[in-house]
Amino acid sequence: MSRSDPVASMGLDFAADETRTGYRLDRVEVYNWGTFHGDVYQFEPNGYNTLVTGDKGSGKTTLADAITTMLCSPRGAAYNRASGAENTDRNLRSYVMGYYSTARDEVSGKGKPVALREGSQHSVILASFRNEGFDKTVTLAIVLWMKDGKNVPERYYVGAEKNLTIRQHFSLNSGDVFALKKRLRQEYS
C-alpha cells in the first residue's frame, strides 16, 4: 500500500524546494534603532536559516532585539537575552533614544544615559516575510517614538500584504509621527 502526500494531492505545494515553504523572513530593516542611527540598515536572510556572527558590540543582539520588539507582546519582550545577560540596562526606551554611554553628574555622582536621538525622532523596525509557494509577501512594521512626559515609547503597528521598505513608505526626517500615521492609515487600512 502506498502513502500519498495529502498536501501535494490538494495542489498546495507550489515551491520547488520543500524546505522553503511557508512564510519565511526575507528582510529586516531598522531605522534609528539602538546605535543604528540616522540611516536604514538592512539584514537579508532571503528566507534561509542564517547565522549572525560578529565582534562584541557589532549589533547582533540589537538586531535580535529589534525582531523581538516587533514580534513579541510588549510585556513579553526581554531584551539582551541573545547575549546571555540576566540583568540588562537595555529596554525599549534605550533602543528608541539610542543610548550608547553613561555620563556622570559631577555633583550627584549619578549616571545619566547619553542618547543619539531626541524624543521627537522616531524609530522604525520593518520585516518582510515571503511565501515562495504562493508568491506572496507580507510586511510588518512598528513605528516607535517618545511622547512628551512619557517614559515608555508610543507604538504604531503596520501590516501590509505587499513589500514595503522604510525608505519608500516611512518618512525618515519629517519628525511628524502623526502625519506619518495618518498617511499609513490611508494607504494600508
Side-chain angles (χ1 to χ4, degrees):
M1 181 155 124
S2 68
R3 240 174 81 192
S4 64
D5 182 353
V7 174
S9 66
M10 291 190 302
L12 297 177
D13 190 10
F14 301 113
D17 180 2
E18 288 185 40
T19 61
R20 294 178 43 89
T21 59
Y23 281 91
R24 299 177 62 87
L25 182 61
D26 189 49
R27 184 183 75 257
V28 175
E29 296 181 6
V30 295
Y31 171 73
N32 282 350
W33 177 253
T35 54
F36 294 117
H37 177 68
D39 202 357
V40 176
Y41 295 85
Q42 286 191 147
F43 170 66
E44 296 184 58
N46 297 313
Y48 290 99
N49 294 337
T50 304
L51 174 65
V52 179
T53 65
D55 290 337
K56 182 178 180 180
S58 63
K60 301 176 302 292
T61 299
T62 300
L63 179 64
D65 286 348
I67 295 168
T68 297
T69 299
M70 192 171 39
L71 297 179
C72 292
S73 154
R75 293 185 184 154
Y79 293 109
N80 210 23
R81 294 293 186 219
S83 69
E86 288 300 317
N87 295 321
T88 178
D89 57 354
R90 292 188 192 194
N91 57 45
L92 190 55
R93 180 184 175 86
S94 71
Y95 277 121
V96 171
M97 298 297 294
Y99 292 165
Y100 66 93
S101 183
T102 304
R104 296 273 174 225
D105 182 284
E106 291 181 23
V107 176
S108 69
K110 291 185 178 183
K112 180 181 178 184
V114 180
L116 290 169
R117 294 177 284 283
E118 298 174 9
S120 63
Q121 293 178 293
H122 67 280
S123 301
V124 181
I125 305 167
L126 179 143
S128 177
F129 298 87
R130 179 100 179 108
N131 184 317
E132 291 178 1
F134 290 110
D135 192 26
K136 300 263 185 199
T137 298
V138 172
T139 303
L140 303 176
I142 182 171
V143 180
L144 302 139
W145 71 99
M146 298 302 301
K147 200 171 186 178
D148 288 340
K150 297 278 186 162
N151 225 9
V152 178
E154 297 288 320
R155 301 171 178 88
Y156 182 69
Y157 295 93
V158 176
E161 292 183 355
K162 61 188 297 185
N163 193 11
L164 303 179
T165 68
I166 291 175
R167 285 191 198 286
Q168 289 180 325
H169 302 96
F170 294 82
S171 303
L172 296 181
N173 296 315
S174 73
D176 188 353
V177 175
F178 299 103
L180 173 62
K181 284 174 53 177
K182 182 179 179 182
R183 185 176 54 76
L184 290 170
R185 243 187 249 120
Q186 289 171 344
E187 290 181 27
Y188 304 110
S189 295

